[in-house]
Amino acid sequence: MNRRADIQLRLQSTVEGLSVAAVTYYIVGQVAYGAKSAAAWASRSMPTSPLASASPSLPSSLRSACAVLIGS
């Protein structure tokens, strides 16, 4: 019984980790999509690329995903 509980806990933590990664990837993708849209509307002399605009959102997206999915 102890072995089954350990396996279940390990499986649960793996699924939570993958969920955090997937949600973070989605959020950063949405920010990048918005940045690309803004770049299309902006003038041709935009100083930063859309990827550079989306990169700072990664830490906050990861923190948010962990808080929501894991409850930390």
Side-chain angles (χ1 to χ4, degrees), residues 20-36:
V20 167
V23 169
T24 302
Y25 179 78
Y26 176 77
I27 292 171
V28 171
Q30 291 300 311
V31 171
Y33 185 71
K36 287 177 187 177

Side-chain angles (χ1 to χ4, degrees), residues 2 4 10-13 15 24-26 28 30 32-33 36 44 55 61 63 65-66 71:
N2 239 357
R4 286 185 183 180
R10 197 171 352 154
L11 181 62
Q12 179 181 348
S13 64
V15 169
T24 302
Y25 179 78
Y26 176 77
V28 171
Q30 291 300 311
Y33 185 71
K36 287 177 187 177
R44 299 269 183 210
S55 297
S61 300
R63 198 174 314 118
C66 286

Side-chain angles (χ1 to χ4, degrees), residues 3 8-10 16-17 19 23 29-30 46 52-53 61 65 71:
R3 184 175 174 270
Q8 181 65 30
L9 182 62
R10 197 171 352 154
E16 286 176 353
S19 296
V23 169
Q30 291 300 311
M46 190 169 178
S53 301
S61 300

